[in-house]
Amino acid sequence: RFQTGGGISFNGDTAAANAIDDYEEGSWTPAVSGSSITYQHQVGEYTKIGNIVYWKCYITVNGGTPTNNISGLPYAVPAGEQNNIFSNWTYAYWDWGNANDHAPVVAYSIAGTSSLGLKMTDWNGSSGFPNVDFGGGSTTRNFYGAGFYWTS
């Protein structure tokens, strides 16, 4: 059923509050914060349904001094909504010969920004969730991720 004020409702529901009235698909350009970053790939896609944004991205960094933040989310995270993201993120170097060169990563939202912070999971027995250390120089690094977060 199409609502008079916009949106679609299902199963005979006529309440405007229950109508789907905000749906969008698109692309975004994820960027690694830092200095002198060079990229091979910067691909991001999203779907927004109401106030939830589902995102995914793939980044290959070839050089520079990256930090543990990814910027460029399609919608800002509201102020006061720190860590409101749910993610499935993997992080890897090309050098698979060294066990320390890859680790699962957790993404978290940074309140009032369009950015994600990245923390390593406890993959090497250390305590806590240290910031991702992408290092520097010319080593190629791949980042693959997907998740969702709330927006205004």
Side-chain angles (χ1 to χ4, degrees):
R1 167 175 287 205
F2 292 98
Q3 297 288 322
T4 304
I8 300 171
S9 59
F10 299 93
N11 299 326
D13 188 345
T14 59
N18 297 331
I20 297 175
D21 60 356
D22 187 2
Y23 180 89
E24 180 180 331
E25 294 180 1
S27 61
W28 61 290
T29 304
V32 179
S33 300
S35 61
S36 304
I37 307 297
T38 57
Y39 297 96
Q40 184 175 349
H41 300 101
Q42 282 180 279
V43 179
E45 295 178 355
Y46 73 93
T47 300
K48 182 177 184 280
I49 303 172
N51 66 347
I52 300 175
V53 179
Y54 299 89
W55 59 270
K56 62 182 178 178
C57 72
Y58 166 49
I59 306 170
T60 301
V61 176
N62 287 339
T65 307
T67 66
N68 70 317
N69 290 342
I70 303 289
S71 62
L73 288 172
Y75 289 90
V77 175
E81 291 293 327
Q82 185 83 356
N83 306 325
N84 81 354
I85 200 162
F86 295 88
S87 69
N88 178 11
W89 193 274
T90 57
Y91 153 66
Y93 290 130
W94 278 114
D95 179 12
W96 291 101
N98 183 341
N100 293 327
D101 281 353
H102 59 280
V105 169
V106 174
Y108 62 93
S109 59
I110 301 173
T113 72
S114 295
S115 299
L116 306 171
L118 303 175
K119 296 277 190 178
M120 290 189 292
T121 59
D122 195 13
W123 58 275
N124 66 354
S126 65
S127 60
F129 293 94
N131 286 336
V132 170
D133 180 8
F134 297 140
S138 61
T139 303
T140 299
R141 297 160 185 93
N142 290 304
F143 312 98
Y144 305 88
F148 64 94
Y149 64 99
W150 287 266
T151 189
S152 300

